[in-house]
Amino acid sequence: MQIAQILSPERTLSRIEGVSKKRALEILANTIAESIPGMDADDIFRRLIAREKLGSTGIGHGIAIPHSRLPGCDATIAALITLKAPIDFDAIDGNPADVLFAMLVPDQANDEHLHTLAALAGALNEGDYRQSLRDADSAAALYAAAIAHDN
């Protein structure tokens, strides 16, 4: 999986301050909707919230991968934000999250969804990669760090 294929600079925000889990999901939904014509931020937000109610997308090490299927979406879309202060994301290791990598996938993309999610989780499981994301002090630096894993 190439992160640059699913993420764009417009969907990358660094060191957001003072947010809750709900607000972070809202920021991710708005960020995606603002960059892609025809996307509805409220619908994305509701889908991300509904997915969280099924079980936390916090994978540990301060990382969360909120994700959902989205009818009308024809390719996987991602947004990445880092938080100035970590928030409780009900992660499996109990640690709060400060790196949130949201992913929307086409409604019918069963195998692709699982493969992309697994590849992203694998990348985010690498300590050096996580640290490079946390060290990014601007959106541009965060995007560059995120896609550096592609090389």
Side-chain angles (χ1 to χ4, degrees):
M1 176 200 64
Q2 296 287 306
I3 293 172
Q5 292 176 336
I6 62 172
L7 185 65
S8 72
E10 300 81 31
R11 295 191 305 271
T12 309
L13 303 171
S14 175
R15 299 192 179 182
I16 306 296
E17 291 189 56
V19 298
S20 63
K21 181 178 181 178
K22 185 177 177 182
R23 178 68 182 130
L25 293 173
E26 186 176 39
I27 289 168
L28 287 163
N30 288 336
T31 299
I32 292 169
E34 289 169 5
S35 73
I36 300 177
M39 289 283 175
D40 179 9
D42 290 336
D43 183 43
I44 296 168
F45 175 67
R46 282 191 301 274
R47 289 174 184 282
L48 292 175
I49 289 287
R51 172 57 188 85
E52 287 300 318
K53 288 180 180 177
L54 295 175
S56 174
T57 58
I59 64 168
H61 302 289
I63 305 294
I65 309 177
H67 57 280
S68 179
R69 296 182 188 284
L70 186 65
C73 177
D74 57 2
T76 300
I77 301 165
L80 171 63
I81 64 173
T82 58
L83 307 175
K84 197 157 192 168
I87 57 174
D88 182 21
F89 224 87
D90 301 314
I92 56 174
D93 65 359
N95 291 326
D98 62 344
V99 176
L100 309 177
F101 209 123
M103 196 171 70
L104 300 176
V105 297
D107 205 23
Q108 304 302 321
N110 294 326
D111 291 340
E112 176 191 343
H113 173 169
L114 295 176
H115 176 72
T116 303
L117 190 59
L120 184 57
L124 291 166
N125 216 15
E126 297 172 16
D128 290 343
Y129 183 57
R130 288 193 310 268
Q131 193 58 50
S132 71
L133 299 176
R134 289 186 172 108
D135 290 344
D137 59 0
S138 69
L142 180 58
Y143 179 74
I147 65 169
H149 192 272
D150 291 346
N151 298 327

